[in-house]
Amino acid sequence: MKLIIHQVFIFWFFLPFSAISGDHGDYKNLIFKGCANQRYPDPTGVFSQNLKNLFASLVSQSAQSSFASTTSGTDNATAVIGVFQCRGDLHAPQCSDCVSKIPKLVSKLCGGGGDDGNVVVAARVQLAGCYIRYEISGFPQTSGTEMLFRLCGKKQSGDPGFSGKRDTAFDMAENGVKTGGVSGTGGGGGGGGFYAGQYESVYVLGQCEGSLGNSDCGECVKDGFEKAKSECGESNSGQVYLHKCFVSYSYYSQGQGVPNIEPLSGGEKRQHTERTIALAVGGVFVLGFVIVCLLVLRSAMKKKKTTKYDAY
């Protein structure tokens, strides 16, 4: 019987780690690509080499941090500026794995990889868990709140109180990114405000690029949620990617579980998994408690029985 109790508590200890560790399986899914129409004539291959060096540097840095910005090349005419960032709930190995997939995708998705003597002057590839963007030095800058991509759920919540719950969750995230608030387990470290949390039936996530300060981050996320409301309306889920931040939300109704976002963001899946884990761990704890009670009861009965025999 002692062996059974030991196994119960070992299972209880390892369950959260083993379940959560495999919960980011979708972080390498492609969300969108942005490719400049301009090509840079590169007969000498200098720009192409700078771009390769830039990618190598970003991939290398992704093993230690979740955000980095760097420049490759010393000549302003051929220098390349690049940024990578990972979602705030990814651990360092996942971040590095995610970022390392992007360099090959840039050429595949945007073309102009240098083999024909031309290189795309600016590009961004966004995966579910990370992105890389680069641009040639002097490339025109865009607003940090320019909307690049949005995805809205096909279903509506059907809850009369949905708008109020969603807006409260949005306010929580707006305040949370200013202090780098993270709900549940996180990893990766690095820059950029990140928040993942829940208000009643609404899961919400927001993150800013590491170059933004707390105040600017809050304003960017606020703008993202405003766009989510105007673009997605009463949809039960939505994702909005701006130039310098992104936001995501998901509503679930009682008894239905978390609805499927197409694709469901890893942060939201993590929240649902943690809720499931809490229930499982609670069940295991109750089972362990019952076994302990049975042992105590059995010991007491045995002692009582022994005492009775001794009296005779």
Side-chain angles (χ1 to χ4, degrees), residues 6 50 154 220:
H6 178 69
N50 286 343
K154 296 178 181 180
C220 187

Side-chain angles (χ1 to χ4, degrees), residues 287-307:
L287 177 60
F289 180 77
V290 170
I291 292 174
V292 171
C293 289
L294 289 174
L295 279 175
V296 172
L297 180 60
R298 181 183 177 186
S299 178
M301 291 178 66
K302 185 176 181 181
K303 183 177 180 181
K304 181 177 180 181
K305 185 176 180 181
T306 301
T307 303

Side-chain angles (χ1 to χ4, degrees), residues 136-210:
I136 191 171
S137 180
F139 190 79
Q141 298 297 302
T142 59
S143 168
T145 56
E146 178 183 353
M147 188 167 70
L148 305 178
F149 183 81
R150 59 95 171 153
L151 184 64
C152 303
K154 296 178 181 180
K155 297 181 180 180
Q156 294 190 350
S157 68
D159 180 356
F162 166 69
S163 295
K165 296 174 183 176
R166 179 197 59 192
D167 292 351
T168 299
F170 286 178
D171 290 340
M172 288 170 53
E174 180 188 338
N175 292 327
V177 295
K178 295 177 182 179
T179 57
V182 182
S183 172
T185 58
F194 173 79
Y195 178 88
Q198 166 191 3
Y199 178 76
E200 294 193 9
S201 303
V202 181
Y203 288 102
V204 66
L205 185 149
Q207 183 169 16
C208 297
E209 188 173 287

Side-chain angles (χ1 to χ4, degrees), residues 15-24 91 94 185 270 273-274 277:
L15 178 62
F17 297 95
S18 61
I20 292 175
S21 65
D23 191 48
H24 300 297
H91 297 281
Q94 295 170 319
T185 58
R270 176 175 60 81
T273 299
E274 289 172 353
I277 289 170

Side-chain angles (χ1 to χ4, degrees), residues 56-129:
S57 175
L58 293 177
V59 169
S60 175
Q61 293 180 75
S62 68
Q64 286 82 39
S65 175
S66 63
F67 168 79
S69 176
T70 189
T71 300
S72 177
T74 56
D75 184 354
N76 288 337
T78 56
V80 190
I81 303 167
V83 169
F84 88 85
Q85 183 157 28
C86 292
R87 206 174 60 216
D89 57 346
L90 291 189
H91 297 281
Q94 295 170 319
C95 178
S96 180
D97 184 35
C98 186
V99 172
S100 66
K101 305 296 180 185
I102 297 180
K104 290 183 179 179
L105 286 175
V106 171
S107 178
K108 179 180 179 181
L109 297 173
C110 295
D115 295 336
D116 57 356
N118 293 281
V119 181
V120 178
V121 298
R124 173 170 175 155
V125 172
Q126 176 78 54
L127 306 186

